[in-house]
Amino acid sequence: MRTLGSPFFALQLQGQDGAVSGSSGSQILDLLANTSNVSRVVLLILALFSIASWAVILYKLWTFKRAERQTAQFIDVFRRSNKFSEVQSVCGSLGASPLVGLFQAGYTELTAQLRANSPAEPGNPQGAAGRPTLKSLASVDRALMRASSIEVNKLERRLPLLATTASVTPFIGLFGTVWGIMTAFLSIGQTGSTSIGVVGTPIAEALIATAFGLAAAIPALVAYNHLSNRVRLFASEMDDFAMEFLNIAERNFT
């Protein structure tokens, strides 16, 4: 039933909720300020892991986005060009794309074989006129595979830090939890009291360590899975490009 005092009581309840939330925040800050040295070391380690993992996440998201953009531009140039030399001329401006590394490796091997097997000069009685041909298409394939492995390693660089953060930080937080519980039991043994005033603060410190561990681990795990999936997509694009490059080389130089 609605009464005249209902709005007043609602405002009172809202004020009480704001006071409780504000006091909770100040209590957490007080716990962090007055925590034990061991808990401070644990929280510092967790903070360093979290900062490092977020730095890697933001850096890899930026580099992967740039690589995707330049890969689309490179594929467009590659498929519109009539000569590999035309594609080679734009590689310097699209170096973030992993396909550039593949193309340059295949182009280098292709050029080396064509120069070695080029027709003799017209004045050379040993030679015969004709277009240059590849000696070994398998060598070009091996060069592309080697370049693909190098590019995948570049894409995966620093990702192990995210996996390490996701797997280690919960246990570091658990160590802080165990230490806090040990401190609580020691307080009980020294004072002989089991009141919440004696054991509450050590247990609260333990729970804060657990929360910090999860806060560091969860974003790192999600980002690692996301970025690893994008690396697999890049690897699939490189496989497709290598097959396309080999088809062109076989069609024109064998």
Side-chain angles (χ1 to χ4, degrees), residues 50-194:
S50 182
I51 292 171
S53 64
W54 274 108
V56 170
I57 291 169
L58 296 177
Y59 173 74
K60 298 302 285 187
L61 287 175
W62 175 71
T63 55
F64 282 8
K65 184 176 181 180
R66 186 178 63 163
E68 287 177 350
R69 184 176 63 253
Q70 294 193 10
T71 294
Q73 295 174 357
F74 177 79
I75 286 292
D76 183 61
V77 173
F78 179 79
R79 290 174 177 168
R80 285 191 295 105
S81 300
N82 295 321
K83 297 179 181 179
F84 281 164
S85 57
E86 296 176 358
V87 182
Q88 175 66 19
S89 63
V90 302
C91 287
S93 60
L94 302 175
S97 172
L99 299 189
V100 170
L102 257 72
F103 172 80
Q104 289 180 327
Y107 181 72
T108 300
E109 178 65 24
L110 188 68
T111 303
Q113 288 196 36
L114 293 179
R115 287 176 179 173
N117 297 328
S118 60
E121 295 295 331
N124 188 347
Q126 300 290 334
R131 67 187 182 94
T133 58
L134 284 176
K135 182 179 180 181
S136 173
L137 190 64
S139 298
V140 180
D141 188 18
R142 287 192 295 270
L144 292 172
M145 291 177 60
R146 184 168 58 252
S148 178
S149 298
I150 294 173
E151 294 299 326
V152 169
N153 289 335
K154 289 180 181 179
L155 293 170
E156 290 179 339
R157 191 175 300 164
R158 298 185 179 91
L159 288 186
L161 177 62
L162 298 181
T164 301
T165 301
S167 59
V168 169
T169 50
F171 292 101
I172 297 175
L174 181 61
F175 172 78
T177 300
V178 172
W179 188 268
I181 294 173
M182 288 172 55
T183 305
F185 279 112
L186 288 174
S187 299
I188 292 173
Q190 291 173 356
T191 62
S193 173
T194 58

Side-chain angles (χ1 to χ4, degrees), residues 212-236:
F212 271 65
L214 294 176
I218 292 173
L221 179 60
V222 173
Y224 177 78
N225 291 333
H226 173 69
L227 295 174
S228 297
N229 183 62
R230 293 181 72 172
V231 170
R232 287 192 291 270
L233 293 177
F234 277 120
S236 178

